[in-house]
Amino acid sequence: MSLISLNSISIAFGGPKLLDGASLQVEAGDRICLLGRNGAGKSTLLQVINGNLPQDEGDIIRQQGLQTALVPQEFPTDWQGTVREFLQSGKPDAITLEQVISQLELDPEADVNALSGGIKRRVLLAAALSHDPDLLLLDEPTNHLDIAAIQWLEDFLLRLRKTLIFISHDRAFVSKLATRVVEVDRGRLQDYRCTYNQFIERREDVLNAEEQEWRRFDQKLAEEEVWIRKGIKARRTRNMGRVRDLLKMREERRQRRERTGNVKLQLETGQRSGQMVLEAEGLNFSFPDGKEVINNFSLRVMRGDRIGLIGPNGSGKSTLLKILTEELQPTSGKLRQGTNLQIAYFDQLRDQLDEEKSVKDNIATDHDQVLIGDKARHVYGYLQDFLFTPDRARTPVKVLSGGEKNRLLLAKLFTRPANLLILDEPTNDLDMETLDLLEELLLDYQGTVLLVSHDRSFLNDVVTSSLIFDGSGTIREIIGGYDDWQREQQQSASPIEKKAAPKQKPRKERPRKLSFKEKRELEELPKRIEELETEQAELHETMADPNLYQQGDGAKISAMQERLTAIEAELETAYQRWEELEQIPE
């Protein structure tokens, strides 16, 4: 029996409908993950289900006595008092409240303002569970949590055995928790009754089928438009039923909601840095209160390294990045930067964005163009690569969602060339499609990357080595990503396995496929080859003219011969590259 049924729900906030005829049935025991692009309406849907927002159209049928509870994405701005006082302000059942405090291992007398992000998330969860809801709604519950807190939350929600609807872009979290995936896409809900990994395959099939159906529809519409515009004789004998069908087709085509284009990420690598990028020797750092976060740390970063920083919140990851970029000075130790460094820094606090200015002004101030590498682009065209429409580009940054702000920060970061990319939690709030593209960008990037993230899948796919922070100041380096660190820990815990296991377990290579950058390269290669062959033919024709040699301009003839040699080499390279890319499946 359904706990709640949504039938043709629609809601708008002045523009196009955010939800447009959306329908969903939630069964007892479901653990539904809501997926979709940033701004697609996922949080709005949770608010509607929880009763905080009325729908404009449609019906909601709730099981009699149904209790829902929403754990919001953001922490309250007016928190004060102890944990117990905050929880009691919701007027829960006293016995249930005590059970929840014990179950979530909370200190009821702790000051809520002094808690870490992970414990604050537990307090919000406790506030929801203290009413013993039948349906628990979670909006980005893993945001800003470290890996240990995310794993605790996974295990807790699995043990809880409640019906869940949650929003998350953490692929490992979704894979472990979701029994159903519902995608919010162009105002409608696409229900996939399967796990996340199965959803990835099925969704591709659905989009391909939709594209083929639209292609057939558009072809038929074009044929009917030709028919309706025939001469006078044809008009006299027109079938009025066919005319009415054409009018319906026009209306259907007009109301079609096209899928927003993909994010286009492109990063200029800049000049080549030295082989040695950074070298730290015996670094120490303590805060004024005496807390030591870095203890006798040494590291050498070489060009092309992709290093992940893994550890609990507050363990010193961001502090180390600031020391390596000389924004902070170490208490003691030596730091040497390599030659020719061009650094781009993604700050998790987004301090580089002016919240009061518009999206466009954050990128190009009063100008209409922005310089990308050595090419000028119109700022609105550039922002559309990051899914900002011209209207959205004119809005203040303060009204953007968290994911949109992160996309804007990436857009600002990628306007300047860099050979050292420092990313401090870039994955927060990003939708999965943008995450996938950011992964591909970093894998193709020719420079050096230092990356802080709590997204386990992202770390596994991107980094070549990791720095492990234990929270006491000790930092050690391992080969590989998060899963490699976990395997090493398991081997260390078992003396028998440790003795038998090799020192390093090679990482499993992902199936090779064309990256976003390679797809573009493959599309552009035929045009480039054609241009080179045209230039080659023109040079041959010019050099075959006897008048050229009668003029006696030896320097010009020599330059043309050198250019011909260069073209032949370029063509050979281009053909070889084309053949290589054609061998790789898309």
Side-chain angles (χ1 to χ4, degrees):
M1 182 179 178
S2 298
L3 293 182
I4 187 169
S5 296
L6 281 64
N7 301 316
S8 300
I9 295 298
S10 296
I11 188 169
F13 298 101
K17 291 180 180 179
L18 202 56
L19 297 176
D20 186 4
S23 297
L24 178 68
Q25 286 195 341
V26 181
E27 310 289 339
D30 281 340
R31 295 196 300 271
I32 300 173
C33 176
L34 291 181
L35 293 182
R37 289 184 169 174
N38 299 129
K42 302 184 298 295
S43 296
T44 299
L45 180 60
L46 288 190
Q47 296 279 356
V48 169
I49 292 173
N50 198 46
N52 298 344
L53 276 176
Q55 71 273 18
D56 297 332
E57 300 172 11
D59 301 312
I60 299 179
I61 302 172
R62 302 171 186 269
Q63 190 181 83
Q64 189 171 2
L66 178 72
Q67 287 278 347
T68 63
L70 173 63
V71 179
Q73 182 178 158
E74 302 296 336
F75 300 126
T77 56
D78 57 348
W79 274 25
Q80 57 183 352
T82 65
V83 169
R84 185 186 298 280
E85 289 169 344
F86 172 76
L87 294 176
Q88 286 177 336
S89 65
K91 300 179 180 179
D93 175 76
I95 297 175
T96 305
L97 177 60
E98 295 304 321
Q99 290 174 342
V100 168
I101 288 174
S102 173
Q103 195 177 17
L104 294 178
E105 301 172 4
L106 295 173
D107 177 2
E109 305 309 321
D111 183 352
V112 290
N113 286 310
L115 300 177
S116 67
I119 302 301
K120 284 182 178 178
R121 188 67 64 188
R122 289 195 198 188
V123 173
L124 289 180
L125 186 57
L129 293 177
S130 62
H131 294 278
D132 192 21
D134 305 295
L135 175 59
L136 184 61
L137 311 171
L138 304 163
D139 193 351
E140 295 278 11
T142 63
N143 257 13
H144 307 288
L145 298 186
D146 57 38
I147 292 175
I150 292 171
Q151 290 176 320
W152 176 91
L153 182 61
E154 281 176 355
D155 295 336
F156 177 80
L157 292 174
L158 285 172
R159 293 195 309 269
L160 192 61
R161 298 185 180 280
K162 280 192 177 291
T163 306
L164 306 176
I165 302 179
F166 64 97
I167 300 169
S168 180
H169 301 305
D170 185 317
R171 289 161 291 183
F173 183 82
V174 175
S175 295
K176 188 168 182 179
L177 209 60
T179 58
R180 278 173 68 186
V181 175
V182 173
E183 185 181 24
V184 185
D185 182 20
R186 290 161 286 178
R188 299 294 180 93
L189 302 183
Q190 301 290 339
D191 192 355
Y192 298 83
R193 294 178 177 267
C194 60
T195 64
Y196 172 70
N197 293 330
Q198 293 169 326
F199 156 76
I200 296 297
E201 298 176 4
R202 294 185 187 179
R203 178 176 176 271
E204 194 66 29
D205 293 338
V206 168
L207 291 178
N208 288 337
E210 180 186 67
E211 186 177 344
Q212 291 175 10
E213 183 182 345
W214 282 3
R215 194 181 295 119
R216 288 192 295 268
F217 178 92
D218 290 344
Q219 183 178 354
K220 184 179 178 183
L221 177 60
E223 292 170 354
E224 293 300 288
E225 292 290 2
V226 170
W227 170 78
I228 199 70
R229 287 173 175 78
K230 285 183 179 177
I232 298 295
K233 184 178 179 181
R235 288 179 191 167
R236 288 175 184 163
T237 58
R238 271 188 313 202
N239 182 322
M240 294 312 296
R242 191 172 174 183
V243 172
R244 284 192 293 271
D245 289 343
L246 173 58
L247 295 176
K248 289 179 183 177
M249 289 177 71
R250 286 176 177 173
E251 180 64 16
E252 185 178 340
R253 181 63 184 85
R254 188 185 66 80
Q255 292 186 1
R256 182 193 297 174
R257 290 183 65 167
E258 301 282 0
R259 185 171 178 79
T260 308
N262 290 321
V263 179
K264 298 175 184 176
L265 302 183
Q266 192 170 0
L267 177 60
E268 296 292 330
T269 305
Q271 299 178 14
R272 191 177 176 90
S273 70
Q275 183 66 26
M276 194 279 293
V277 177
L278 293 168
E279 187 173 35
E281 184 179 346
L283 289 185
N284 293 279
F285 184 85
S286 299
F287 287 111
D289 62 4
K291 181 184 177 183
E292 185 180 53
V293 292
I294 299 175
N295 178 21
N296 193 30
F297 173 65
S298 297
L299 175 71
R300 176 175 287 185
V301 180
M302 307 303 289
R303 184 176 63 229
D305 284 348
R306 297 194 300 272
I307 302 175
L309 281 66
I310 302 174
N313 289 334
S315 59
K317 301 184 296 297
S318 298
T319 301
L320 178 61
L321 293 182
K322 290 178 180 178
I323 291 173
L324 294 179
T325 55
E326 299 185 335
E327 187 178 334
L328 277 178
Q329 293 300 314
T331 307
S332 62
K334 296 179 181 178
L335 174 67
R336 185 162 68 94
Q337 290 189 343
T339 58
N340 202 30
L341 280 191
Q342 296 173 289
I343 301 175
Y345 197 127
F346 182 101
D347 173 24
Q348 64 165 311
L349 300 178
R350 308 186 187 110
D351 288 338
Q352 299 167 51
L353 298 179
D354 189 330
E355 295 270 333
E356 298 302 321
K357 289 184 177 179
S358 70
V359 171
K360 179 256 181 189
D361 287 344
N362 267 273
I363 297 294
T365 58
D366 296 328
H367 305 290
D368 289 330
Q369 292 192 326
V370 60
L371 196 64
I372 309 298
D374 57 352
K375 295 181 180 179
R377 290 193 61 188
H378 198 281
V379 63
Y380 289 125
Y382 176 66
L383 285 170
Q384 282 183 322
D385 287 351
F386 293 81
L387 303 187
F388 290 104
T389 63
D391 285 342
R392 199 63 173 165
R394 289 187 283 269
T395 60
V397 171
K398 62 185 178 183
V399 305
L400 300 181
S401 68
E404 288 175 314
K405 288 178 182 177
N406 272 13
R407 282 208 310 266
L408 175 59
L409 188 49
L410 287 173
K412 186 169 185 176
L413 197 70
F414 295 169
T415 56
R416 51 183 183 270
N419 50 37
L420 174 56
L421 192 59
I422 296 180
L423 304 173
D424 194 355
E425 298 202 30
T427 58
N428 283 340
D429 304 306
L430 290 182
D431 59 55
M432 289 185 181
E433 287 184 66
T434 308
L435 276 176
D436 288 339
L437 288 168
L438 182 58
E439 273 185 11
E440 290 193 10
L441 175 81
L442 295 180
L443 289 170
D444 291 335
Y445 181 56
Q446 299 300 308
T448 306
V449 179
L450 298 178
L451 166 69
V452 177
S453 178
H454 300 306
D455 187 317
R456 291 157 287 176
S457 297
F458 193 78
L459 288 167
N460 286 332
D461 292 343
V462 170
V463 304
T464 55
S465 63
S466 301
L467 299 178
I468 308 300
F469 292 67
D470 67 359
S472 66
T474 301
I475 307 170
R476 65 187 184 90
E477 186 176 12
I478 67 158
I479 303 298
Y482 176 79
D483 284 350
D484 299 281
W485 173 46
Q486 291 298 294
R487 281 193 291 267
E488 184 182 298
Q489 284 189 310
Q490 291 167 5
Q491 291 166 8
S492 300
S494 170
I496 298 175
E497 287 182 16
K498 183 179 179 182
K499 186 176 180 181
K503 288 184 179 179
Q504 289 179 14
K505 186 166 182 179
R507 293 186 63 191
K508 250 185 192 177
E509 292 292 334
R510 293 193 305 165
R512 180 74 169 96
K513 63 177 182 178
L514 279 177
S515 68
F516 174 76
K517 185 178 179 182
E518 287 171 334
K519 288 177 186 175
R520 287 192 62 181
E521 185 183 358
L522 183 57
E523 291 170 359
E524 293 169 359
L525 269 172
K527 182 181 177 184
R528 176 59 180 156
I529 290 171
E530 184 180 352
E531 290 171 351
L532 287 169
E533 289 178 338
T534 301
E535 186 182 356
Q536 185 185 47
E538 289 172 352
L539 280 172
H540 278 304
E541 185 178 347
T542 304
M543 293 181 72
D545 186 354
N547 293 328
L548 176 67
Y549 301 94
Q550 292 172 3
Q551 294 169 5
D553 191 345
K556 182 178 179 181
I557 295 170
S558 177
M560 293 174 75
Q561 288 173 335
E562 288 178 6
R563 179 56 188 153
L564 264 178
T565 304
I567 289 174
E568 287 171 4
E570 286 183 50
L571 276 171
E572 185 178 351
T573 303
Y575 273 115
Q576 185 178 355
R577 181 60 174 159
W578 192 8
E579 186 177 351
E580 288 174 3
L581 293 176
E582 286 282 3
Q583 302 293 327
I584 303 171
E586 292 193 18

